[in-house]
Amino acid sequence: MTFGELVQQLQQGNDSLYLTTQETGVDAAGLPNIMAPPVSRLRQDFPVRPECMGCLIPQQINLWMGAARNGASSGLHHDFHDNLYILLRGRKRFRLYPPSEAPHMYTHGHLKKIYPNGRIVYAGQGMVLEDGSDTSEVRRWQQEQAVEAELAAAEEGVTAGAKGAKGRLARAEQAFEALLDAQLRCRQHDPGEDGCSGSEGFPADLQDDYIDSDADDIDSNDSQQAVLSLQSRLNPGQACEGLGLGVQQGASRSPTTKQLVWESVIDDSNPPSFSQVDLSSLTETELCMQFPMFPAASKCYECELSAGEQLYLPCGWFHEVRSYGDSQQGGHLALNYWFHPPDNLDPSLEAMQSPYRSKYWSDLWTRRGMVLS
């Protein structure tokens, strides 16, 4: 269905259709686009990086549009990115639950980890870091940075006539070619299936120079130091104790311990971040009977947006959104930004100016900006 056909259907009162997140594809540099039509055709009408979001780096920008007058539900779920939701037309009602309630949300996926910033990782998603980056991709980026820096230094040495510079340049060029070959081989396989790591295909005699020996510790416990500083992201007024590895889905809570032990419930037919709980159809009694571990009403935050208002929702916050069309203009319309979740959680001006501990996302953004320009 084309966008024009969608608009025509909505104008005719078809409230069963809803435009959601768009497939963006990749740009000329092989990096994911941050927007796709129709959003990309409206690019001059909104900032790519809203000033109010500081130094957070966008991951994707989407348009959401429908015509439901009596309220259409998004389903209870959470995002993997920080979300700035801007309502342009209609009305939206949000039911919100903090990431700390994730073990009780009956998600389709099997919970593996909840980071201090609210980033949730599920079984089968690989080694995901707190800022949402993939460990293998970061390793390859680190290698690329090291190889390119050495190649530039070697070329400067040759230009300056430094002793041994030609040999250094030859070795740097060898490393650069090896890196390109290794990346090409890696891209020809599914990293998730074959376990393609940053060092795979890289010559053994060059690994000591260009592969970080501490790479396996990239997902270390040092992020736990920031737990208290981001307590408000997880659940205002509630401690973050107990959010960690090995939480299993579907269980009972022991009265003598805070450890949760439950049976795994994995549904491959649904996104892992969606809850099995349908808040739009269950009564309070039915909810308690079918999902006894689901958070009590006191754990839920509710808010309503009108046209011209916006909501900032950190990653991992569960939300069910009900959309209501405008009674006069008809339909509901929203624009949203997803941002890579920050992992520098220190409550300081410096951290706000550098919200990511790694330069990975900022480097990719710079490359993407060069292509966009």
Side-chain angles (χ1 to χ4, degrees), residues 235-301:
N235 190 356
Q238 178 177 344
C240 306
E241 185 177 1
L243 304 180
L245 295 168
V247 179
Q248 296 183 345
Q249 202 100 326
S252 59
R253 185 192 301 268
S254 168
T256 60
T257 177
K258 294 183 179 180
Q259 178 66 31
L260 295 174
V261 181
W262 32 7
E263 294 180 2
S264 174
V265 178
I266 301 177
D267 186 347
D268 292 334
S269 64
N270 292 279
S273 59
F274 271 73
S275 172
Q276 301 173 50
V277 179
D278 185 359
L279 293 177
S280 65
S281 65
L282 294 175
T283 65
E284 197 69 31
T285 300
E286 291 172 334
L287 182 61
C288 291
M289 292 292 292
Q290 296 182 35
F291 304 98
M293 294 292 293
F294 192 78
S298 60
K299 301 289 187 180
C300 177
Y301 301 83

